[in-house]
Amino acid sequence: MNVPFKSGSPIDRRRFLGDAARAVGGCLVAGTFLARMATDARALPAQALRPPGALDEAEFLGACIRCGLCVRDCPYDTLALAELGVDGAATGTPFFTARDVPCEMCEDIPCVAACPTGALDHGLTDIDDARMGIAVLIDEEHCLNALGLRCDVCYRVCPVIDKAITLEVEHNARSGHHAKFMPTVHAEACTGCGKCEKSCVLPESAIKVLPIRLARVDAAEHYRLGWEDRQPLVDELIDLPDRLPGPGTDNLVTPGGFEPAFKLPEALK
Amino acid sequence: MSRATRPPVGQEAIAVHGWWHAHRFLVLRRISQLFFLGLFLLGPWAGIWLVKGNLTSSLTLGVLPLSDPFVFLQTLAAGHPPLLTVATGALAGAVIVALVYALIGGRVYCSWVCPVNPVTDAAHWLHTRLGLKKGWQPKRGTRLWVMAMVLAVSALTGSVAWEMVNPISMLHRGLIFGMGFGWTLVAGVFIFDLVLSRRGWCGHLCPVGAFYGLLGERSLLRVSAANRAACDDCMDCFDVCPEAHVISPALRGSAGTSPLILSRDCTNCGRCIDVCPESVFRFTHRFDDRTSDDPVQATQPGATRAA
Ligand code: SF4
Ligand code: SF4
Ligand code: SF4
Ligand code: SF4
C-alpha cells in the first residue's frame, strides 16, 4: 500500500527517479507505436472518399472525433464509419465508396450541419462547391462511348451535367468516318459525388472518382497559355506602339486592315 | 485473517443485510451502464433516435450536444482551432460533460458509464475465480504518463491519437456503427487484466480514466468511511475496490482525520458500501466529514471487535 515518501531520503529519491524513468521509457515506446499508427492512418485508400466539406486529410484527422453524427444525418446512408481492419480509412472516420452508394448532393448538406467539430467545414453552404474528389475516365479502352457507341449514362446522371461532365466530339479513327462522344470531366465543376461512377454500365466502372491528390496536378507556373492569358509576359518588350488602322495590324476586319485571300465566315465579320 | 480462512467476499454482508443490500450499487451500476449503451443502441437497433452519435460526441433529442472532453483536448493538441467548434457543438458538449463530471466525480464515468468496465470487471471476476497471480503492477502514476503521452502524440502527429486504439471507442462505436476487428483490442484488455495484470487496464494504464480522475479532483460526491469505528477488519472492501489504495487513508485514519475518500482514483462505484457488513461507508458530499469516532456521534464505543 502507500509508502509515504520521506522526502529527502536518497533511497526514496533514487526509487522515485527510477520509477519515473521507467514510466517515461515505457511511454516513449508506446508513444512511438501510436505515432506510427497515427501517421500511417493518413494514407487514405483511393476508393474511400470523405464527406462533403471535409478538411484536408491531415487536418481532418486532427479534427474529426469519429462520432458518426454525419453518418446518422445522411438520408441516403451514403456514409459509414471505417471499421478497424475492414475499411482502409483511419478507424472510426466517416467515408463513402462511390460505387456502392454515391453522395446525392443534398441541397441542405445535412452531414456538414451535423458535424460537431468542423471537421466537415460549415463554411460549405453550396453543395456544388464540394470537392470530395474528381471523376476520371479511367479506362478509355472499355468505356462504351470511347469505343464509339452511345452510352452516355455517366454524363446523364451527373447532378452538375454539362459543367462537371461534357461529351466532347472526337474523330473515330477506327471506323474513319464516325464520331466518338468522349465523357470529359471538368475539375472546376466536378464535386466528386460519384454518381457517374455508381452508374457506369460496365461490370466495373470505367469512370472513377479519385481523391484530388491523385487526380490533379498543379499547372507548371512557367507555362502561359496564350489563348487564355492575354496579358503579355514581358510588358515593355511586347507593348509596341499601336498602328491602327492599317496594313500589318492583326485587326482583320477594320477597313484598311489586312485582307486574307480567303473569305472570312460571316460570323467573324 | 487470511483469505483461505475468511468467508468469500461479501458473504457476511449478504448474511447481515440481505442480497439486494449487499449488491445494490453493483446492480445499479450495471443498469446504468446498460442504460447509457441502450440509449445509443435504440437508434440503430429500434429506429428510436433519442440519442445520435457515440460517447465521443452525441446529440440528444436533437438539442443537447455532449462531447468527450478528453477527445476534445486531443483535437486541441492536434492543432484543430477551437474557434471552429464554438458554433458546431463540440465545445459546448465538452464543457457540459466536463462540468457534470467535475461535480459528481470524474471517474463516475469509469464505473457507471464506460462500456469497458463490465469487461474488466468480468476479467477480474475470472481472475479471482482462477486464483491467478497479481502479475505486473505498474506504479499508480503510470496512467498520467500515458495520458501525457497521448496528448504529446496528438500534438506531434496532428491527429486524435488515442482514438486510433482506444478500446472504449472500439467497443462502444463498434456496437453502434460496426466493429470490424475492434473487438481484438477489447479482448486484449480482457486478457491483459486476466493474466498479466490484476485490474491492470482501468487501474493503471487507461489515459481516459486518468483524465476523468483529474477532472474530478475536487468533485462534490464522495464516499465516506463515516462509521469507521465499526470496522472489524474483514477486508472485504479492499477486495472489491478497483482502486484499493484509496480506502486506507479514510478508513484507517486516526481520529481527527477526514473519513472521506478524497483520492481522485476513487470511481464512486459504491462497492465498498455494498459489501461492508458493518455499514461503514456511505455516499455523501465532500464537506461532510462527520465520523462515528466523533465523541458526540459515537454509537458503538469500542467497536473494533475483530483482529
Ligand atoms: S450531401 Fe447528402 S448524400 Fe451527400 S454525404 Fe452529405 S448527407 Fe449524404
Ligand atoms: S460528424 Fe464530424 S466529427 Fe463526427 S464523424 Fe462526422 S466528420 Fe467526424
Ligand atoms: S463525380 Fe461524376 S456525377 Fe459527380 S459531379 Fe463529378 S462528374 Fe458529375
Ligand atoms: S457510363 Fe461508363 S461506359 Fe457509359 S459512357 Fe460513362 S464511363 Fe463510358
Side-chain angles (χ1 to χ4, degrees):
Chain A
M1 219 114 308
N2 276 6
V3 186
F5 275 130
K6 287 181 229 82
S7 52
S9 142
I11 294 172
D12 284 340
R13 200 178 312 130
R14 207 172 307 141
R15 189 192 315 148
F16 172 78
L17 288 176
D19 288 347
R22 250 194 304 278
V24 172
C27 285
L28 274 179
V29 174
T32 312
F33 278 110
L34 195 58
R36 182 65 210 274
M37 291 183 77
T39 33
D40 279 358
R42 286 194 205 135
L44 186 66
Q47 273 91 341
L49 302 174
R50 292 295 186 202
L55 304 176
D56 281 348
E57 188 62 9
E59 282 172 64
F60 183 79
L61 290 179
C64 170
I65 54 179
R66 297 121 211 249
C67 64
L69 286 173
C70 53
V71 173
R72 288 299 179 230
D73 279 9
C74 173
Y76 300 98
D77 283 340
T78 299
L79 304 173
L81 293 186
E83 297 180 23
L84 184 69
V86 178
D87 310 302
T91 307
T93 55
F95 75 104
F96 70 98
T97 310
R99 188 66 165 170
D100 297 342
V101 194
C103 166
E104 296 289 338
M105 290 177 59
C106 314
E107 228 162 280
D108 50 346
I109 331 181
C111 48
V112 171
C115 178
T117 59
L120 307 182
D121 185 358
H122 286 235
L124 178 74
T125 47
D126 181 353
I127 188 66
D128 286 353
D129 293 336
R131 290 295 175 269
M132 297 168 265
I134 306 249
V136 177
L137 182 64
I138 224 160
D139 193 341
E140 293 193 6
E141 287 177 294
H142 290 113
C143 165
L144 300 178
N145 273 33
L147 292 174
L149 306 167
R150 289 303 298 271
C151 158
D152 298 0
V153 168
C154 54
Y155 164 75
R156 288 188 191 287
V157 296
C158 176
V160 206
I161 187 168
D162 285 329
K163 291 197 204 101
I165 190 168
T166 53
L167 295 176
E168 302 291 326
V169 183
E170 277 179 21
H171 175 61
N172 186 340
R174 182 184 52 81
S175 71
H177 53 270
H178 293 99
K180 294 196 289 192
F181 293 80
M182 291 300 286
T184 307
V185 177
H186 304 277
E188 77 272 6
C190 171
T191 63
C193 70
K195 295 276 284 181
C196 52
E197 178 175 343
K198 168 73 183 171
S199 324
C200 177
V201 298
L202 297 178
E204 198 182 340
S205 186
I207 188 167
K208 286 183 177 158
V209 178
L210 298 183
I212 293 172
R213 66 170 202 278
L214 292 183
R216 294 287 282 170
V217 297
D218 288 332
E221 262 173 42
H222 53 284
Y223 282 106
R224 305 288 287 263
L225 305 180
W227 60 91
E228 274 181 4
D229 190 356
R230 287 283 174 200
Q231 290 297 91
L233 260 181
V234 191
D235 291 335
E236 310 85 62
L237 287 182
I238 308 285
D239 193 20
L240 298 168
D242 297 325
R243 289 171 296 169
L244 272 174
T249 71
D250 54 359
N251 192 338
L252 303 184
V253 287
T254 315
F258 167 75
E259 277 290 338
F262 52 86
K263 276 260 175 283
L264 277 174
E266 226 22 63
L268 270 179
K269 288 219 169 146
Chain B
M1 244 188 299
S2 85
R3 184 80 272 177
T5 57
R6 280 162 57 190
V9 180
Q11 199 67 54
E12 219 185 324
I14 297 173
V16 178
H17 299 295
W19 190 93
W20 163 247
H21 195 277
H23 291 88
R24 57 205 153 127
F25 285 113
L26 180 63
V27 173
L28 286 176
R29 230 152 45 74
R30 295 288 178 252
I31 292 175
S32 158
Q33 288 159 347
L34 275 176
F35 172 76
F36 284 109
L37 187 60
L39 274 185
F40 285 98
L41 287 175
L42 219 49
W45 287 8
I48 305 169
W49 295 101
L50 302 177
V51 180
K52 284 187 207 167
N54 62 48
L55 279 177
T56 60
S57 201
S58 60
L59 191 65
T60 302
L61 298 172
V63 286
L64 176 68
L66 295 173
S67 297
D68 184 321
F70 184 53
V71 179
F72 186 72
L73 209 60
Q74 289 172 67
T75 68
L76 295 191
H80 184 56
L83 267 183
L84 279 185
T85 62
V86 173
T88 51
L91 180 65
V95 169
I96 295 172
V97 171
L99 284 178
V100 168
Y101 283 118
L103 203 66
I104 62 170
R107 297 206 64 205
V108 163
Y109 172 82
C110 299
S111 55
W112 294 79
V113 179
C114 179
V116 168
N117 175 277
V119 176
T120 55
D121 272 0
H124 183 253
W125 176 83
L126 197 58
H127 177 96
T128 318
R129 279 298 291 268
L130 299 175
L132 296 175
K133 288 219 184 62
K134 211 172 186 183
W136 183 49
Q137 295 290 293
K139 289 281 171 301
R140 286 288 156 196
T142 308
R143 54 182 147 206
L144 292 172
W145 287 104
V146 178
M147 189 190 100
M149 178 271 284
V150 164
L151 293 175
V153 173
S154 293
L156 283 172
T157 61
S159 55
V160 185
W162 192 241
E163 289 311 294
M164 304 278 164
V165 291
N166 188 357
I168 307 171
S169 309
M170 293 299 159
L171 182 57
H172 192 255
R173 192 204 302 122
L175 288 172
I176 298 166
F177 287 94
M179 173 113 38
F181 285 89
W183 62 268
T184 53
L185 283 156
V186 184
V189 165
F190 182 86
I191 292 167
F192 177 74
D193 266 26
L194 179 65
V195 286
L196 293 182
S197 174
R198 179 184 301 168
R199 301 251 191 228
W201 183 257
C202 302
H204 296 92
L205 294 181
C206 177
V208 180
F211 173 82
Y212 278 101
L214 287 178
L215 201 59
E217 184 79 55
R218 310 255 123 225
S219 73
L220 217 49
L221 182 65
R222 295 285 162 167
V223 173
S224 168
N227 196 19
R228 63 187 172 192
C231 171
D232 64 359
D233 289 315
C234 74
M235 303 298 280
D236 278 4
C237 54
F238 288 97
D239 270 320
V240 293
C241 180
E243 302 278 353
H245 63 287
V246 308
I247 293 182
S248 316
L251 183 65
R252 302 276 198 252
S254 48
T257 57
S258 169
L260 291 167
I261 294 178
L262 289 171
S263 167
R264 69 166 99 91
D265 291 344
C266 170
T267 69
N268 276 352
C269 69
R271 272 306 270 157
C272 52
I273 308 179
D274 277 350
V275 300
C276 180
E278 309 298 331
S279 305
V280 164
F281 301 93
R282 65 157 185 250
F283 272 121
T284 182
H285 56 83
R286 72 177 297 121
F287 303 108
D288 171 21
D289 51 9
R290 289 171 298 161
T291 65
S292 54
D293 39 56
D294 292 347
V296 208
Q297 291 167 25
T299 44
Q300 294 174 308
T304 320
R305 298 178 256 135

